[in-house]
Amino acid sequence: MKRLFGFFLFLIILSGGVAFTAWAFGNESVPVVYDEAYEDDVPLATSIDADLEDIPEAFAVISEVFERPIAASDVDAIQTWASDPSLKKAVAHPIGEFDVLFEGRPTTLTVEAEVYREDGTYVLFYLIGDEDVVLALDERIVAYYDELGI
């Protein structure tokens, strides 16, 4: 009788372990609901990188997408900002919002930047805006990198 009781106790413990394992690792089967409204809240972005002395050239490439270029004074201010040695490196810093004309309509381009200081100053710019603007910028940036052979 002791053997039979021990066997039943073993089966109960074993089935409890299986049930607990299934419960703990089986929660992945919970359906994920895709919310299309969330997609509209996430801005689209692209990026371009440049050495400190190449920032005007990078913004000239960006400006080719718009009907009028980003002001030279703004580009100079960005270059001066990036040369500040007190900036935290590898942290996305907000640069500003630029009102631009894209295909005849006004829109806003938001620019953020990360600064790296290894063998000189290197800046990674994030360009955030409307989907069609970002896609056009991305296409132009890819063409620019192809021209450079990168």
Side-chain angles (χ1 to χ4, degrees), residues 48-115:
I48 188 169
D49 53 62
D51 290 328
L52 182 62
E53 62 273 0
D54 295 333
I55 289 175
E57 181 181 349
F59 274 88
V61 169
I62 293 167
S63 291
E64 290 177 13
V65 174
F66 305 117
E67 293 176 14
R68 63 178 171 231
I70 294 172
S73 60
D74 291 334
V75 176
D76 290 341
I78 292 169
Q79 193 169 19
T80 302
W81 171 86
S83 65
D84 181 1
S86 67
L87 286 173
K88 285 187 175 181
K89 60 182 181 177
V91 174
H93 298 280
I95 299 294
E97 294 183 346
F98 299 95
D99 295 323
V100 294
L101 278 175
F102 179 74
E103 295 181 348
R105 70 176 167 84
T107 188
T108 302
L109 179 68
T110 304
V111 180
E112 295 180 359
E114 292 180 11
V115 178

Side-chain angles (χ1 to χ4, degrees), residues 20-36:
F20 176 76
T21 303
W23 173 82
F25 297 107
N27 284 340
E28 295 174 15
S29 64
V30 174
V32 176
V33 177
Y34 179 72
D35 187 2
E36 289 181 17

Side-chain angles (χ1 to χ4, degrees), residues 46-48 61-62 127 137-145:
T46 189
S47 64
I48 188 169
V61 169
I62 293 167
L127 311 167
L137 283 167
D138 191 55
E139 186 177 307
R140 178 60 191 113
I141 291 167
V142 168
Y144 171 68
Y145 286 150

Side-chain angles (χ1 to χ4, degrees), residues 115-134:
V115 178
Y116 297 90
R117 300 192 192 290
E118 297 138 13
D119 301 328
T121 302
Y122 171 85
V123 185
L124 177 60
F125 292 100
Y126 298 106
L127 311 167
I128 305 162
D130 294 338
E131 182 177 1
D132 54 346
V133 174
V134 171

